[in-house]
Amino acid sequence: MAGPVGVLGGTFDPIHVAHLALAHAARDAVGLAEVRFIPSARPPHRDAPAAAAAHRLAMVEAAIAGTAGFVADARELHRLTPSWTIDTLTSLRAEVGTDRPLVLLMGEDAFALLHTWHRWTELTATAHLVVARRPDAAPLQA
């Protein structure tokens, strides 16, 4: 069995150091075999990205070039529907099979709004969640 696949989605408008730091930290802490960077075409919880999809994908490819196990994944950019995370995870699950763990990487700001995501209650049946806290962030309120 191949190792776990990390999934890091976002607009990547632009991709930045915090995205890369999260991917590196999660890869090392969880033992991810790879991290898929998946640019969102139509983010349902925010304004449309300023940069075109092709440019954001190119930024991701440039940022991760030469980093073993980091992969740019364009699957959401070809979809005509909103970029629902559950659809992306289901598609990725079909690709990698049922024996390979999926690990959804997110910041605690996204995790705090998880209850607003499309079919959010299904996410943990499809992937493990890893939530990163920003070093200067106040704790989440219950």
Side-chain angles (χ1 to χ4, degrees):
M1 173 176 86
V5 176
V7 179
L8 182 58
T11 57
F12 300 123
D13 192 23
I15 188 167
H16 52 72
V17 171
H19 295 128
L20 299 171
L22 169 58
H24 281 282
R27 182 189 62 192
D28 296 344
V30 181
L32 301 174
E34 66 182 64
V35 177
R36 302 270 184 113
F37 290 77
I38 305 178
S40 173
R42 291 164 195 78
H45 287 98
R46 60 186 314 161
D47 293 335
H55 293 138
R56 293 183 291 111
L57 179 61
M59 285 189 276
V60 168
E61 290 169 340
I64 66 173
T67 305
F70 283 12
V71 177
D73 185 322
R75 76 183 62 232
E76 285 192 4
L77 301 180
H78 305 294
R79 245 188 235 137
L80 300 177
T81 59
S83 298
W84 303 122
T85 300
I86 189 65
D87 294 341
T88 300
L89 291 174
T90 300
S91 170
L92 191 53
R93 169 62 63 217
E95 179 184 320
V96 303
T98 57
D99 293 333
R100 196 164 183 198
L102 296 179
V103 180
L104 180 60
L105 309 174
M106 67 177 67
E108 74 178 339
D109 53 338
F111 181 71
L113 297 173
L114 193 65
H115 66 282
T116 67
W117 290 22
H118 180 69
R119 295 171 43 201
W120 70 276
T121 59
E122 298 173 40
L123 293 175
T124 57
T126 311
H128 302 279
L129 303 182
V130 169
V131 180
R133 184 167 186 269
R134 294 179 187 205
D136 60 346
L140 287 175
Q141 300 299 314

